[in-house]
PDB file of all heavy atoms in Angstrom:
ATOM      1  N   ASN M   1       7.874   3.881   4.855  1.00  0.00           N
ATOM      2  CA  ASN M   1       8.765   2.756   4.787  1.00  0.00           C
ATOM      3  C   ASN M   1       8.058   1.617   4.105  1.00  0.00           C
ATOM      4  O   ASN M   1       6.829   1.527   4.210  1.00  0.00           O
ATOM      5  CB  ASN M   1       9.227   2.273   6.178  1.00  0.00           C
ATOM      6  CG  ASN M   1      10.040   3.306   6.879  1.00  0.00           C
ATOM      7  OD1 ASN M   1       9.541   4.048   7.719  1.00  0.00           O
ATOM      8  ND2 ASN M   1      11.342   3.338   6.573  1.00  0.00           N
ATOM      9  N   TYR M   2       8.848   0.815   3.393  1.00  0.00           N
ATOM     10  CA  TYR M   2       8.237  -0.284   2.601  1.00  0.00           C
ATOM     11  C   TYR M   2       8.996  -1.567   2.811  1.00  0.00           C
ATOM     12  O   TYR M   2      10.215  -1.566   3.010  1.00  0.00           O
ATOM     13  CB  TYR M   2       8.227   0.068   1.107  1.00  0.00           C
ATOM     14  CG  TYR M   2       7.428   1.297   0.770  1.00  0.00           C
ATOM     15  CD1 TYR M   2       8.080   2.549   0.726  1.00  0.00           C
ATOM     16  CD2 TYR M   2       6.093   1.245   0.548  1.00  0.00           C
ATOM     17  CE1 TYR M   2       7.361   3.714   0.480  1.00  0.00           C
ATOM     18  CE2 TYR M   2       5.354   2.406   0.253  1.00  0.00           C
ATOM     19  CZ  TYR M   2       6.014   3.625   0.218  1.00  0.00           C
ATOM     20  OH  TYR M   2       5.293   4.756  -0.063  1.00  0.00           O
ATOM     21  N   ALA M   3       8.277  -2.674   2.715  1.00  0.00           N
ATOM     22  CA  ALA M   3       8.905  -3.961   2.670  1.00  0.00           C
ATOM     23  C   ALA M   3       9.725  -4.060   1.328  1.00  0.00           C
ATOM     24  O   ALA M   3       9.293  -3.496   0.321  1.00  0.00           O
ATOM     25  CB  ALA M   3       7.891  -5.093   2.715  1.00  0.00           C
ATOM     26  N   ASP M   4      10.796  -4.786   1.372  1.00  0.00           N
ATOM     27  CA  ASP M   4      11.644  -4.922   0.199  1.00  0.00           C
ATOM     28  C   ASP M   4      10.833  -5.462  -0.967  1.00  0.00           C
ATOM     29  O   ASP M   4      11.111  -5.094  -2.141  1.00  0.00           O
ATOM     30  CB  ASP M   4      12.838  -5.824   0.490  1.00  0.00           C
ATOM     31  CG  ASP M   4      13.844  -5.128   1.353  1.00  0.00           C
ATOM     32  OD1 ASP M   4      13.812  -3.915   1.531  1.00  0.00           O
ATOM     33  OD2 ASP M   4      14.694  -5.859   1.906  1.00  0.00           O
ATOM     34  N   SER M   5       9.878  -6.312  -0.726  1.00  0.00           N
ATOM     35  CA  SER M   5       9.121  -7.003  -1.788  1.00  0.00           C
ATOM     36  C   SER M   5       8.267  -6.052  -2.566  1.00  0.00           C
ATOM     37  O   SER M   5       7.844  -6.353  -3.714  1.00  0.00           O
ATOM     38  CB  SER M   5       8.289  -8.131  -1.202  1.00  0.00           C
ATOM     39  OG  SER M   5       7.403  -7.618  -0.229  1.00  0.00           O
ATOM     40  N   VAL M   6       7.945  -4.869  -2.035  1.00  0.00           N
ATOM     41  CA  VAL M   6       7.051  -3.934  -2.725  1.00  0.00           C
ATOM     42  C   VAL M   6       7.724  -2.587  -3.005  1.00  0.00           C
ATOM     43  O   VAL M   6       7.118  -1.723  -3.674  1.00  0.00           O
ATOM     44  CB  VAL M   6       5.749  -3.698  -1.927  1.00  0.00           C
ATOM     45  CG1 VAL M   6       5.105  -5.026  -1.572  1.00  0.00           C
ATOM     46  CG2 VAL M   6       6.017  -2.886  -0.646  1.00  0.00           C
ATOM     47  N   LYS M   7       8.922  -2.433  -2.521  1.00  0.00           N
ATOM     48  CA  LYS M   7       9.616  -1.161  -2.691  1.00  0.00           C
ATOM     49  C   LYS M   7       9.747  -0.812  -4.139  1.00  0.00           C
ATOM     50  O   LYS M   7      10.130  -1.633  -4.961  1.00  0.00           O
ATOM     51  CB  LYS M   7      11.002  -1.205  -2.037  1.00  0.00           C
ATOM     52  CG  LYS M   7      11.604   0.127  -1.674  1.00  0.00           C
ATOM     53  CD  LYS M   7      12.858  -0.101  -0.840  1.00  0.00           C
ATOM     54  CE  LYS M   7      12.557  -0.666   0.543  1.00  0.00           C
ATOM     55  NZ  LYS M   7      13.772  -0.786   1.401  1.00  0.00           N
ATOM     56  N   GLY M   8       9.407   0.444  -4.489  1.00  0.00           N
ATOM     57  CA  GLY M   8       9.460   0.929  -5.880  1.00  0.00           C
ATOM     58  C   GLY M   8       8.192   0.639  -6.676  1.00  0.00           C
ATOM     59  O   GLY M   8       8.027   1.135  -7.793  1.00  0.00           O
ATOM     60  N   ARG M   9       7.291  -0.185  -6.107  1.00  0.00           N
ATOM     61  CA  ARG M   9       6.035  -0.496  -6.795  1.00  0.00           C
ATOM     62  C   ARG M   9       4.818   0.014  -6.060  1.00  0.00           C
ATOM     63  O   ARG M   9       3.806   0.375  -6.680  1.00  0.00           O
ATOM     64  CB  ARG M   9       5.902  -2.035  -6.970  1.00  0.00           C
ATOM     65  CG  ARG M   9       7.015  -2.656  -7.780  1.00  0.00           C
ATOM     66  CD  ARG M   9       6.769  -4.106  -8.060  1.00  0.00           C
ATOM     67  NE  ARG M   9       6.641  -4.923  -6.827  1.00  0.00           N
ATOM     68  CZ  ARG M   9       5.584  -5.652  -6.507  1.00  0.00           C
ATOM     69  NH1 ARG M   9       4.501  -5.641  -7.252  1.00  0.00           N
ATOM     70  NH2 ARG M   9       5.568  -6.366  -5.382  1.00  0.00           N
ATOM     71  N   PHE M  10       4.869   0.047  -4.749  1.00  0.00           N
ATOM     72  CA  PHE M  10       3.747   0.458  -3.934  1.00  0.00           C
ATOM     73  C   PHE M  10       4.046   1.847  -3.323  1.00  0.00           C
ATOM     74  O   PHE M  10       5.209   2.122  -2.968  1.00  0.00           O
ATOM     75  CB  PHE M  10       3.486  -0.521  -2.797  1.00  0.00           C
ATOM     76  CG  PHE M  10       2.919  -1.839  -3.180  1.00  0.00           C
ATOM     77  CD1 PHE M  10       2.903  -2.237  -4.515  1.00  0.00           C
ATOM     78  CD2 PHE M  10       2.445  -2.718  -2.214  1.00  0.00           C
ATOM     79  CE1 PHE M  10       2.353  -3.503  -4.883  1.00  0.00           C
ATOM     80  CE2 PHE M  10       1.890  -3.950  -2.573  1.00  0.00           C
ATOM     81  CZ  PHE M  10       1.884  -4.342  -3.888  1.00  0.00           C
ATOM     82  N   THR M  11       2.970   2.626  -3.141  1.00  0.00           N
ATOM     83  CA  THR M  11       3.116   3.925  -2.505  1.00  0.00           C
ATOM     84  C   THR M  11       1.999   4.129  -1.495  1.00  0.00           C
ATOM     85  O   THR M  11       0.827   4.020  -1.854  1.00  0.00           O
ATOM     86  CB  THR M  11       3.072   5.087  -3.535  1.00  0.00           C
ATOM     87  OG1 THR M  11       4.118   4.898  -4.492  1.00  0.00           O
ATOM     88  CG2 THR M  11       3.247   6.430  -2.828  1.00  0.00           C
ATOM     89  N   ILE M  12       2.389   4.352  -0.262  1.00  0.00           N
ATOM     90  CA  ILE M  12       1.376   4.662   0.782  1.00  0.00           C
ATOM     91  C   ILE M  12       1.244   6.163   0.907  1.00  0.00           C
ATOM     92  O   ILE M  12       2.242   6.896   0.808  1.00  0.00           O
ATOM     93  CB  ILE M  12       1.792   3.989   2.119  1.00  0.00           C
ATOM     94  CG1 ILE M  12       0.637   4.110   3.149  1.00  0.00           C
ATOM     95  CG2 ILE M  12       3.083   4.534   2.636  1.00  0.00           C
ATOM     96  CD1 ILE M  12       0.906   3.284   4.445  1.00  0.00           C
ATOM     97  N   SER M  13      -0.004   6.615   1.157  1.00  0.00           N
ATOM     98  CA  SER M  13      -0.239   8.053   1.353  1.00  0.00           C
ATOM     99  C   SER M  13      -1.401   8.200   2.324  1.00  0.00           C
ATOM    100  O   SER M  13      -2.109   7.248   2.624  1.00  0.00           O
ATOM    101  CB  SER M  13      -0.493   8.715   0.032  1.00  0.00           C
ATOM    102  OG  SER M  13      -1.673   8.185  -0.573  1.00  0.00           O
ATOM    103  N   ARG M  14      -1.528   9.424   2.822  1.00  0.00           N
ATOM    104  CA  ARG M  14      -2.598   9.686   3.752  1.00  0.00           C
ATOM    105  C   ARG M  14      -3.207  11.001   3.473  1.00  0.00           C
ATOM    106  O   ARG M  14      -2.535  11.944   2.936  1.00  0.00           O
ATOM    107  CB  ARG M  14      -2.044   9.657   5.203  1.00  0.00           C
ATOM    108  CG  ARG M  14      -0.987  10.692   5.515  1.00  0.00           C
ATOM    109  CD  ARG M  14      -0.357  10.396   6.900  1.00  0.00           C
ATOM    110  NE  ARG M  14      -1.353  10.461   7.954  1.00  0.00           N
ATOM    111  CZ  ARG M  14      -1.229   9.830   9.087  1.00  0.00           C
ATOM    112  NH1 ARG M  14      -0.206   9.044   9.338  1.00  0.00           N
ATOM    113  NH2 ARG M  14      -2.202   9.968  10.002  1.00  0.00           N
ATOM    114  N   ASP M  15      -4.476  11.159   3.797  1.00  0.00           N
ATOM    115  CA  ASP M  15      -5.206  12.405   3.718  1.00  0.00           C
ATOM    116  C   ASP M  15      -5.758  12.701   5.078  1.00  0.00           C
ATOM    117  O   ASP M  15      -6.812  12.136   5.441  1.00  0.00           O
ATOM    118  CB  ASP M  15      -6.295  12.306   2.644  1.00  0.00           C
ATOM    119  CG  ASP M  15      -6.983  13.619   2.390  1.00  0.00           C
ATOM    120  OD1 ASP M  15      -6.966  14.518   3.260  1.00  0.00           O
ATOM    121  OD2 ASP M  15      -7.537  13.802   1.281  1.00  0.00           O
ATOM    122  N   ASP M  16      -5.099  13.574   5.823  1.00  0.00           N
ATOM    123  CA  ASP M  16      -5.538  13.846   7.179  1.00  0.00           C
ATOM    124  C   ASP M  16      -6.884  14.570   7.232  1.00  0.00           C
ATOM    125  O   ASP M  16      -7.598  14.513   8.225  1.00  0.00           O
ATOM    126  CB  ASP M  16      -4.476  14.623   7.933  1.00  0.00           C
ATOM    127  CG  ASP M  16      -3.246  13.813   8.244  1.00  0.00           C
ATOM    128  OD1 ASP M  16      -3.275  12.558   8.034  1.00  0.00           O
ATOM    129  OD2 ASP M  16      -2.230  14.408   8.671  1.00  0.00           O
ATOM    130  N   ALA M  17      -7.207  15.295   6.172  1.00  0.00           N
ATOM    131  CA  ALA M  17      -8.497  16.010   6.143  1.00  0.00           C
ATOM    132  C   ALA M  17      -9.656  15.015   6.031  1.00  0.00           C
ATOM    133  O   ALA M  17     -10.804  15.349   6.455  1.00  0.00           O
ATOM    134  CB  ALA M  17      -8.541  16.982   5.003  1.00  0.00           C
ATOM    135  N   LYS M  18      -9.397  13.871   5.452  1.00  0.00           N
ATOM    136  CA  LYS M  18     -10.472  12.869   5.224  1.00  0.00           C
ATOM    137  C   LYS M  18     -10.301  11.662   6.123  1.00  0.00           C
ATOM    138  O   LYS M  18     -11.145  10.734   6.023  1.00  0.00           O
ATOM    139  CB  LYS M  18     -10.486  12.427   3.743  1.00  0.00           C
ATOM    140  CG  LYS M  18     -10.770  13.543   2.770  1.00  0.00           C
ATOM    141  CD  LYS M  18     -10.822  13.015   1.356  1.00  0.00           C
ATOM    142  CE  LYS M  18     -11.166  14.119   0.348  1.00  0.00           C
ATOM    143  NZ  LYS M  18     -11.153  13.617  -1.052  1.00  0.00           N
ATOM    144  N   ASP M  19      -9.268  11.623   6.930  1.00  0.00           N
ATOM    145  CA  ASP M  19      -8.994  10.473   7.817  1.00  0.00           C
ATOM    146  C   ASP M  19      -8.873   9.200   6.957  1.00  0.00           C
ATOM    147  O   ASP M  19      -9.427   8.109   7.320  1.00  0.00           O
ATOM    148  CB  ASP M  19     -10.094  10.272   8.855  1.00  0.00           C
ATOM    149  CG  ASP M  19     -10.063  11.401   9.896  1.00  0.00           C
ATOM    150  OD1 ASP M  19      -9.130  12.238   9.871  1.00  0.00           O
ATOM    151  OD2 ASP M  19     -11.022  11.477  10.709  1.00  0.00           O
ATOM    152  N   MET M  20      -8.142   9.297   5.842  1.00  0.00           N
ATOM    153  CA  MET M  20      -8.043   8.161   4.907  1.00  0.00           C
ATOM    154  C   MET M  20      -6.558   7.838   4.727  1.00  0.00           C
ATOM    155  O   MET M  20      -5.698   8.732   4.726  1.00  0.00           O
ATOM    156  CB  MET M  20      -8.613   8.541   3.538  1.00  0.00           C
ATOM    157  CG  MET M  20     -10.104   8.825   3.570  1.00  0.00           C
ATOM    158  SD  MET M  20     -11.147   7.343   3.597  1.00  0.00           S
ATOM    159  CE  MET M  20     -10.747   6.638   1.984  1.00  0.00           C
ATOM    160  N   VAL M  21      -6.313   6.565   4.460  1.00  0.00           N
ATOM    161  CA  VAL M  21      -4.969   6.136   4.073  1.00  0.00           C
ATOM    162  C   VAL M  21      -5.103   5.294   2.805  1.00  0.00           C
ATOM    163  O   VAL M  21      -6.131   4.548   2.645  1.00  0.00           O
ATOM    164  CB  VAL M  21      -4.239   5.355   5.213  1.00  0.00           C
ATOM    165  CG1 VAL M  21      -5.007   4.122   5.579  1.00  0.00           C
ATOM    166  CG2 VAL M  21      -2.810   5.033   4.843  1.00  0.00           C
ATOM    167  N   TYR M  22      -4.153   5.386   1.917  1.00  0.00           N
ATOM    168  CA  TYR M  22      -4.230   4.781   0.622  1.00  0.00           C
ATOM    169  C   TYR M  22      -2.982   3.915   0.342  1.00  0.00           C
ATOM    170  O   TYR M  22      -1.928   4.180   0.894  1.00  0.00           O
ATOM    171  CB  TYR M  22      -4.341   5.840  -0.490  1.00  0.00           C
ATOM    172  CG  TYR M  22      -5.495   6.806  -0.271  1.00  0.00           C
ATOM    173  CD1 TYR M  22      -5.269   8.065   0.297  1.00  0.00           C
ATOM    174  CD2 TYR M  22      -6.777   6.483  -0.692  1.00  0.00           C
ATOM    175  CE1 TYR M  22      -6.277   8.957   0.474  1.00  0.00           C
ATOM    176  CE2 TYR M  22      -7.799   7.372  -0.511  1.00  0.00           C
ATOM    177  CZ  TYR M  22      -7.580   8.643   0.092  1.00  0.00           C
ATOM    178  OH  TYR M  22      -8.575   9.534   0.279  1.00  0.00           O
ATOM    179  N   LEU M  23      -3.168   2.970  -0.565  1.00  0.00           N
ATOM    180  CA  LEU M  23      -2.026   2.200  -1.036  1.00  0.00           C
ATOM    181  C   LEU M  23      -2.164   2.097  -2.542  1.00  0.00           C
ATOM    182  O   LEU M  23      -3.031   1.400  -3.058  1.00  0.00           O
ATOM    183  CB  LEU M  23      -1.984   0.799  -0.400  1.00  0.00           C
ATOM    184  CG  LEU M  23      -0.731   0.018  -0.716  1.00  0.00           C
ATOM    185  CD1 LEU M  23       0.525   0.636  -0.107  1.00  0.00           C
ATOM    186  CD2 LEU M  23      -0.858  -1.436  -0.224  1.00  0.00           C
ATOM    187  N   GLN M  24      -1.302   2.782  -3.264  1.00  0.00           N
ATOM    188  CA  GLN M  24      -1.237   2.691  -4.708  1.00  0.00           C
ATOM    189  C   GLN M  24      -0.270   1.541  -5.048  1.00  0.00           C
ATOM    190  O   GLN M  24       0.886   1.547  -4.631  1.00  0.00           O
ATOM    191  CB  GLN M  24      -0.714   3.993  -5.340  1.00  0.00           C
ATOM    192  CG  GLN M  24      -0.555   3.933  -6.835  1.00  0.00           C
ATOM    193  CD  GLN M  24      -1.885   3.824  -7.547  1.00  0.00           C
ATOM    194  OE1 GLN M  24      -2.850   4.494  -7.207  1.00  0.00           O
ATOM    195  NE2 GLN M  24      -1.935   2.935  -8.576  1.00  0.00           N
ATOM    196  N   MET M  25      -0.780   0.582  -5.784  1.00  0.00           N
ATOM    197  CA  MET M  25      -0.021  -0.602  -6.122  1.00  0.00           C
ATOM    198  C   MET M  25       0.173  -0.701  -7.630  1.00  0.00           C
ATOM    199  O   MET M  25      -0.840  -0.812  -8.324  1.00  0.00           O
ATOM    200  CB  MET M  25      -0.706  -1.886  -5.578  1.00  0.00           C
ATOM    201  CG  MET M  25      -1.033  -1.816  -4.096  1.00  0.00           C
ATOM    202  SD  MET M  25      -1.687  -3.359  -3.458  1.00  0.00           S
ATOM    203  CE  MET M  25      -3.226  -3.482  -4.394  1.00  0.00           C
ATOM    204  N   ASN M  26       1.358  -0.606  -8.086  1.00  0.00           N
ATOM    205  CA  ASN M  26       1.685  -0.673  -9.513  1.00  0.00           C
ATOM    206  C   ASN M  26       2.534  -1.917  -9.811  1.00  0.00           C
ATOM    207  O   ASN M  26       3.068  -2.518  -8.891  1.00  0.00           O
ATOM    208  CB  ASN M  26       2.435   0.596  -9.962  1.00  0.00           C
ATOM    209  CG  ASN M  26       1.616   1.871  -9.746  1.00  0.00           C
ATOM    210  OD1 ASN M  26       0.413   1.892  -9.858  1.00  0.00           O
ATOM    211  ND2 ASN M  26       2.378   2.937  -9.459  1.00  0.00           N
ATOM    212  N   SER M  27       2.609  -2.238 -11.040  1.00  0.00           N
ATOM    213  CA  SER M  27       3.423  -3.407 -11.493  1.00  0.00           C
ATOM    214  C   SER M  27       3.099  -4.622 -10.636  1.00  0.00           C
ATOM    215  O   SER M  27       4.021  -5.292 -10.153  1.00  0.00           O
ATOM    216  CB  SER M  27       4.905  -3.045 -11.428  1.00  0.00           C
ATOM    217  OG  SER M  27       5.194  -1.896 -12.206  1.00  0.00           O
ATOM    218  N   LEU M  28       1.860  -4.920 -10.462  1.00  0.00           N
ATOM    219  CA  LEU M  28       1.475  -6.003  -9.583  1.00  0.00           C
ATOM    220  C   LEU M  28       1.900  -7.365 -10.152  1.00  0.00           C
ATOM    221  O   LEU M  28       1.960  -7.595 -11.356  1.00  0.00           O
ATOM    222  CB  LEU M  28      -0.054  -5.995  -9.425  1.00  0.00           C
ATOM    223  CG  LEU M  28      -0.539  -4.928  -8.418  1.00  0.00           C
ATOM    224  CD1 LEU M  28      -2.046  -4.674  -8.621  1.00  0.00           C
ATOM    225  CD2 LEU M  28      -0.254  -5.344  -7.007  1.00  0.00           C
ATOM    226  N   LYS M  29       2.248  -8.219  -9.178  1.00  0.00           N
ATOM    227  CA  LYS M  29       2.735  -9.577  -9.474  1.00  0.00           C
ATOM    228  C   LYS M  29       1.793 -10.596  -8.854  1.00  0.00           C
ATOM    229  O   LYS M  29       1.125 -10.279  -7.850  1.00  0.00           O
ATOM    230  CB  LYS M  29       4.132  -9.762  -8.948  1.00  0.00           C
ATOM    231  CG  LYS M  29       5.156  -8.710  -9.371  1.00  0.00           C
ATOM    232  CD  LYS M  29       6.449  -8.926  -8.658  1.00  0.00           C
ATOM    233  CE  LYS M  29       7.489  -7.867  -9.059  1.00  0.00           C
ATOM    234  NZ  LYS M  29       8.803  -8.049  -8.351  1.00  0.00           N
ATOM    235  N   PRO M  30       1.787 -11.812  -9.374  1.00  0.00           N
ATOM    236  CA  PRO M  30       0.903 -12.847  -8.762  1.00  0.00           C
ATOM    237  C   PRO M  30       1.253 -13.037  -7.284  1.00  0.00           C
ATOM    238  O   PRO M  30       0.316 -13.319  -6.510  1.00  0.00           O
ATOM    239  CB  PRO M  30       1.253 -14.080  -9.581  1.00  0.00           C
ATOM    240  CG  PRO M  30       1.622 -13.561 -10.942  1.00  0.00           C
ATOM    241  CD  PRO M  30       2.362 -12.271 -10.657  1.00  0.00           C
ATOM    242  N   GLU M  31       2.456 -12.872  -6.872  1.00  0.00           N
ATOM    243  CA  GLU M  31       2.806 -13.021  -5.482  1.00  0.00           C
ATOM    244  C   GLU M  31       2.284 -11.880  -4.581  1.00  0.00           C
ATOM    245  O   GLU M  31       2.408 -11.951  -3.365  1.00  0.00           O
ATOM    246  CB  GLU M  31       4.318 -13.147  -5.284  1.00  0.00           C
ATOM    247  CG  GLU M  31       5.147 -12.072  -5.956  1.00  0.00           C
ATOM    248  CD  GLU M  31       5.680 -12.516  -7.320  1.00  0.00           C
ATOM    249  OE1 GLU M  31       4.873 -13.126  -8.119  1.00  0.00           O
ATOM    250  OE2 GLU M  31       6.856 -12.237  -7.642  1.00  0.00           O
ATOM    251  N   ASP M  32       1.672 -10.846  -5.175  1.00  0.00           N
ATOM    252  CA  ASP M  32       1.040  -9.813  -4.388  1.00  0.00           C
ATOM    253  C   ASP M  32      -0.414 -10.236  -4.012  1.00  0.00           C
ATOM    254  O   ASP M  32      -1.057  -9.482  -3.242  1.00  0.00           O
ATOM    255  CB  ASP M  32       0.942  -8.501  -5.168  1.00  0.00           C
ATOM    256  CG  ASP M  32       2.345  -7.917  -5.448  1.00  0.00           C
ATOM    257  OD1 ASP M  32       3.193  -7.944  -4.511  1.00  0.00           O
ATOM    258  OD2 ASP M  32       2.575  -7.415  -6.557  1.00  0.00           O
ATOM    259  N   THR M  33      -0.878 -11.343  -4.507  1.00  0.00           N
ATOM    260  CA  THR M  33      -2.195 -11.821  -4.166  1.00  0.00           C
ATOM    261  C   THR M  33      -2.327 -12.039  -2.672  1.00  0.00           C
ATOM    262  O   THR M  33      -1.508 -12.796  -2.103  1.00  0.00           O
ATOM    263  CB  THR M  33      -2.510 -13.114  -4.928  1.00  0.00           C
ATOM    264  OG1 THR M  33      -2.563 -12.813  -6.338  1.00  0.00           O
ATOM    265  CG2 THR M  33      -3.833 -13.742  -4.493  1.00  0.00           C
ATOM    266  N   ALA M  34      -3.308 -11.400  -2.066  1.00  0.00           N
ATOM    267  CA  ALA M  34      -3.464 -11.506  -0.616  1.00  0.00           C
ATOM    268  C   ALA M  34      -4.691 -10.697  -0.227  1.00  0.00           C
ATOM    269  O   ALA M  34      -5.258  -9.978  -1.038  1.00  0.00           O
ATOM    270  CB  ALA M  34      -2.244 -10.933   0.113  1.00  0.00           C
ATOM    271  N   VAL M  35      -5.084 -10.854   1.004  1.00  0.00           N
ATOM    272  CA  VAL M  35      -6.029  -9.904   1.612  1.00  0.00           C
ATOM    273  C   VAL M  35      -5.233  -8.768   2.241  1.00  0.00           C
ATOM    274  O   VAL M  35      -4.273  -9.040   2.996  1.00  0.00           O
ATOM    275  CB  VAL M  35      -6.903 -10.593   2.671  1.00  0.00           C
ATOM    276  CG1 VAL M  35      -7.895  -9.570   3.268  1.00  0.00           C
ATOM    277  CG2 VAL M  35      -7.689 -11.741   2.044  1.00  0.00           C
ATOM    278  N   TYR M  36      -5.612  -7.553   1.940  1.00  0.00           N
ATOM    279  CA  TYR M  36      -4.880  -6.367   2.399  1.00  0.00           C
ATOM    280  C   TYR M  36      -5.652  -5.697   3.501  1.00  0.00           C
ATOM    281  O   TYR M  36      -6.895  -5.499   3.372  1.00  0.00           O
ATOM    282  CB  TYR M  36      -4.630  -5.440   1.247  1.00  0.00           C
ATOM    283  CG  TYR M  36      -3.495  -5.894   0.328  1.00  0.00           C
ATOM    284  CD1 TYR M  36      -3.663  -6.970  -0.518  1.00  0.00           C
ATOM    285  CD2 TYR M  36      -2.238  -5.279   0.344  1.00  0.00           C
ATOM    286  CE1 TYR M  36      -2.660  -7.434  -1.333  1.00  0.00           C
ATOM    287  CE2 TYR M  36      -1.247  -5.698  -0.472  1.00  0.00           C
ATOM    288  CZ  TYR M  36      -1.430  -6.788  -1.306  1.00  0.00           C
ATOM    289  OH  TYR M  36      -0.398  -7.230  -2.116  1.00  0.00           O
ATOM    290  N   TYR M  37      -4.981  -5.333   4.557  1.00  0.00           N
ATOM    291  CA  TYR M  37      -5.597  -4.681   5.723  1.00  0.00           C
ATOM    292  C   TYR M  37      -4.833  -3.403   6.034  1.00  0.00           C
ATOM    293  O   TYR M  37      -3.607  -3.332   5.969  1.00  0.00           O
ATOM    294  CB  TYR M  37      -5.472  -5.555   6.944  1.00  0.00           C
ATOM    295  CG  TYR M  37      -6.090  -6.936   6.838  1.00  0.00           C
ATOM    296  CD1 TYR M  37      -5.369  -8.014   6.315  1.00  0.00           C
ATOM    297  CD2 TYR M  37      -7.404  -7.162   7.267  1.00  0.00           C
ATOM    298  CE1 TYR M  37      -5.929  -9.284   6.216  1.00  0.00           C
ATOM    299  CE2 TYR M  37      -7.940  -8.444   7.173  1.00  0.00           C
ATOM    300  CZ  TYR M  37      -7.214  -9.467   6.648  1.00  0.00           C
ATOM    301  OH  TYR M  37      -7.783 -10.752   6.580  1.00  0.00           O
ATOM    302  N   CYS M  38      -5.600  -2.364   6.401  1.00  0.00           N
ATOM    303  CA  CYS M  38      -4.936  -1.184   7.003  1.00  0.00           C
ATOM    304  C   CYS M  38      -4.953  -1.365   8.518  1.00  0.00           C
ATOM    305  O   CYS M  38      -5.748  -2.116   9.079  1.00  0.00           O
ATOM    306  CB  CYS M  38      -5.574   0.111   6.538  1.00  0.00           C
ATOM    307  SG  CYS M  38      -7.214   0.409   7.201  1.00  0.00           S
ATOM    308  N   ASN M  39      -4.049  -0.631   9.156  1.00  0.00           N
ATOM    309  CA  ASN M  39      -3.912  -0.777  10.604  1.00  0.00           C
ATOM    310  C   ASN M  39      -3.375   0.519  11.188  1.00  0.00           C
ATOM    311  O   ASN M  39      -2.491   1.149  10.606  1.00  0.00           O
ATOM    312  CB  ASN M  39      -2.978  -1.950  10.887  1.00  0.00           C
ATOM    313  CG  ASN M  39      -2.788  -2.201  12.365  1.00  0.00           C
ATOM    314  OD1 ASN M  39      -1.788  -1.851  12.970  1.00  0.00           O
ATOM    315  ND2 ASN M  39      -3.793  -2.843  12.945  1.00  0.00           N
ATOM    316  N   ASN M  40      -3.914   0.856  12.328  1.00  0.00           N
ATOM    317  CA  ASN M  40      -3.393   1.972  13.096  1.00  0.00           C
ATOM    318  C   ASN M  40      -2.214   1.435  13.895  1.00  0.00           C
ATOM    319  O   ASN M  40      -2.419   0.627  14.834  1.00  0.00           O
ATOM    320  CB  ASN M  40      -4.488   2.522  14.026  1.00  0.00           C
ATOM    321  CG  ASN M  40      -4.010   3.660  14.848  1.00  0.00           C
ATOM    322  OD1 ASN M  40      -2.843   3.777  15.235  1.00  0.00           O
ATOM    323  ND2 ASN M  40      -4.903   4.590  15.170  1.00  0.00           N
TER     324      ASN M  40
END
């Protein structure tokens, strides 16, 4: 699920073998400027 502000531009994925989560961010905009955190 995605926030409307990033829908179609961001993709979240996970690799359970590596215990990793990713966020692919495309078509970035100045309003995407922020500190990004992952969370369980």
Side-chain angles (χ1 to χ4, degrees):
N1 295 98
Y2 300 92
D4 288 343
S5 58
V6 307
K7 201 171 292 184
R9 301 188 297 122
F10 289 13
T11 302
I12 188 172
S13 61
R14 63 189 298 153
D15 185 336
D16 289 351
K18 296 181 179 179
D19 292 352
M20 297 281 292
V21 61
Y22 306 97
L23 187 67
Q24 177 67 44
M25 306 187 296
N26 299 328
S27 303
L28 283 162
K29 305 175 181 180
E31 51 263 44
D32 294 319
T33 294
V35 179
Y36 284 72
Y37 303 87
C38 69
N39 183 257
N40 180 328

